[in-house]
Amino acid sequence: MGHYRRNRNYDLIIVYFVGMWILSVIGLLVALLLPISVVVILSLLGIALVVLTFVLRISSFVIFLIPILFGVLHFLLIIILIDWLGAALIISVFIATIIIFIGIAILGIKLIEYSISEALMYAFTILIVFVVFAFIYIFIPVSSPFFLVVAGIFVLAFALYTVYELDSIRNNFIRENEVLFFALRLYLNLAYIVINLIVSSRKRKK
């Protein structure tokens, strides 16, 4: 295993990343107490705030509002999908996703501490996703094994991209004032690519 150069803000980015997932759970729990009309408004506000953040490249503590609002958005998506696919499948996949991404964050720290290679990180990530979704398949009576597999594939894609982003952050200098912004990139995952493409295309048209 080669020697890995430590990015001094790497650990802080991961801490913020985990914090954002925790805030998402808090946002979801708050949404349980709100009328559906307020949930919809806050969800749209969260999406608008994300776009504004990337357009203006905001890197202040206002960013922590995004995971809270996205927790509300997650709640909205959950109640919509529950009617279609059943509560057991949707709730178990949501909890599994949180477990997997927190596990990846822990692995990200170990990547530096023990000089774990990128290939091993990808292998660990695939193993974590497989074990978690296999547990759901074996022990939780989901309504549709097919959609469980589809969800597993999507979560795996998100997880592998997060590992890629972690490796990219580790190998690049991140300024102090950009730590929150990069933590948000990790949190948004593949959604960041879509948002960034939309923002970039609009800039090119001007």
Side-chain angles (χ1 to χ4, degrees):
M1 310 245 181
H3 175 70
Y4 288 86
R5 179 167 55 87
R6 189 181 187 84
N7 184 321
R8 60 179 177 152
N9 291 319
Y10 180 83
D11 289 352
L12 187 56
I13 289 171
I14 292 179
V15 169
Y16 284 151
F17 169 67
V18 173
M20 287 176 181
W21 274 103
I22 294 172
L23 288 174
S24 284
V25 175
I26 293 172
L28 186 147
L29 294 175
V30 169
L32 291 170
L33 307 174
L34 301 175
I36 191 64
S37 58
V38 177
V39 169
V40 172
I41 292 171
L42 291 177
S43 299
L44 294 174
L45 182 61
I47 295 171
L49 186 56
V50 167
V51 174
L52 186 64
T53 298
F54 283 104
V55 169
L56 301 179
R57 203 172 177 85
I58 298 171
S59 188
S60 66
F61 280 92
V62 71
I63 281 179
F64 283 119
L65 288 175
I66 292 174
I68 296 174
L69 294 173
F70 262 55
V72 176
L73 175 61
H74 289 153
F75 172 76
L76 180 62
L77 295 175
I78 284 172
I79 60 175
I80 292 172
L81 293 174
I82 278 176
D83 288 337
W84 181 30
L85 298 173
L89 175 59
I90 299 305
I91 293 174
S92 60
V93 167
F94 180 75
I95 294 173
T97 302
I98 294 173
I99 292 171
I100 288 166
F101 279 95
I102 290 177
I104 290 172
I106 294 170
L107 280 176
I109 294 174
K110 300 303 179 185
L111 171 68
I112 292 293
E113 289 182 0
Y114 299 106
S115 297
I116 299 175
S117 69
E118 293 93 335
L120 201 53
M121 270 290 289
Y122 286 120
F124 279 148
T125 301
I126 293 170
L127 180 62
I128 290 171
V129 174
F130 177 80
V131 168
V132 170
F133 275 85
F135 178 87
I136 295 173
Y137 179 78
I138 295 170
F139 295 104
I140 299 176
V142 298
S143 58
S144 174
F146 171 75
F147 281 107
L148 178 64
V149 173
V150 172
I153 292 171
F154 273 103
V155 172
L156 178 60
F158 297 155
L160 291 176
Y161 178 73
T162 299
V163 172
Y164 169 80
E165 280 285 280
L166 282 172
D167 187 57
S168 176
I169 290 169
R170 175 180 62 83
N171 287 304
N172 289 282
F173 175 76
I174 307 299
R175 298 185 184 92
E176 297 287 344
N177 62 351
E178 290 186 321
V179 168
L180 277 173
F181 183 81
F182 276 85
L184 181 65
R185 275 183 53 170
L186 273 181
Y187 169 75
L188 290 174
N189 211 272
L190 292 182
Y192 163 74
I193 297 178
V194 177
I195 295 168
N196 202 38
L197 285 174
I198 293 172
V199 172
S200 299
S201 63
R202 286 185 176 180
K203 285 182 179 178
R204 282 195 292 267
K205 288 178 180 178
K206 292 181 180 180

